[in-house]
Amino acid sequence: MAPRSFLQWPVVRQLSTGDLLGRGPAVTSAKTKAIVPRTATADRVVQSVCPYCAVGCGQRVYVKDEKVVQIEGDPDSPISRGRLCPKGSASEQLVNSPGRQTKVLYRAPRSKEWEHLDLATAVEMVADRFIESRRRTWQQEDDQGRLLRRTMGIASLGGATLDNEENYLIKKLFTAAGAVQTENQARI
């Protein structure tokens, strides 16, 4: 440790800098002055919604070199006004977790192994199964000949972070497909 000079004494610094109460430059070390928040070095800020519950708190996602470096509450959000619960505050850890899956995994029926699929193949598989299930479970009429036009083989459970527009489109899609079990996790 280097020896301190008389001019570095806290009281002398307070008087020489005009910081008589010792709350400003007199008590700020060189190390403290060099600290820069992660949000200041971000390339861009993206608005998002917290993925955890049905409240839909606004978030600001700070991105640097295409990697999330910080997530904070969005003060412009009319819902949360910049506040986040403990889970929402820890969203950055969810995004950057080393255990997070970033590729589509598929396990064939009766298989013991998972395999990676590209997204287009996975979407096609879901669409094919949706159409096949609808075709196989379609009910045109009941036993008394009353018109049903429904399927009981398809259901939808929406997530809490879906907004009204997304829920509207999901409801329209599943109603058009004949599904009657359409629910949202936020209501449960």
Side-chain angles (χ1 to χ4, degrees), residues 54-140:
V55 175
C57 296
Q59 291 182 324
R60 287 188 177 171
V61 180
Y62 294 85
V63 181
K64 180 178 176 138
D65 299 327
E66 297 306 310
K67 184 178 185 312
V68 174
V69 293
Q70 181 68 11
I71 297 178
E72 296 179 352
D74 185 357
D76 296 331
S77 169
I79 295 166
S80 58
R81 297 186 309 237
R83 297 169 187 88
L84 293 175
C85 70
K87 287 176 84 172
S89 297
S91 296
E92 182 270 332
Q93 295 171 16
L94 173 73
V95 172
N96 293 323
S97 170
R100 180 177 182 211
Q101 293 294 325
T102 57
K103 297 180 182 173
V104 177
L105 290 175
Y106 171 71
R107 187 170 58 95
R110 294 171 288 288
S111 174
K112 295 180 182 177
E113 302 298 322
W114 290 91
E115 60 183 279
H116 291 279
L117 293 180
D118 62 287
L119 184 59
T121 303
V123 170
E124 283 295 320
M125 288 173 69
V126 170
D128 291 344
R129 290 174 183 188
F130 184 94
I131 292 167
E132 173 57 26
S133 179
R134 181 181 184 271
R135 186 199 56 73
R136 189 174 27 81
T137 61
W138 185 255
Q139 298 172 340
Q140 185 66 20

Side-chain angles (χ1 to χ4, degrees), residues 4 6-17 19 22 26-27:
R4 294 181 120 193
F6 170 76
L7 296 175
Q8 292 178 331
W9 287 3
V11 174
V12 174
R13 280 198 320 250
Q14 280 178 258
L15 295 173
S16 66
T17 61
D19 183 16
V27 294

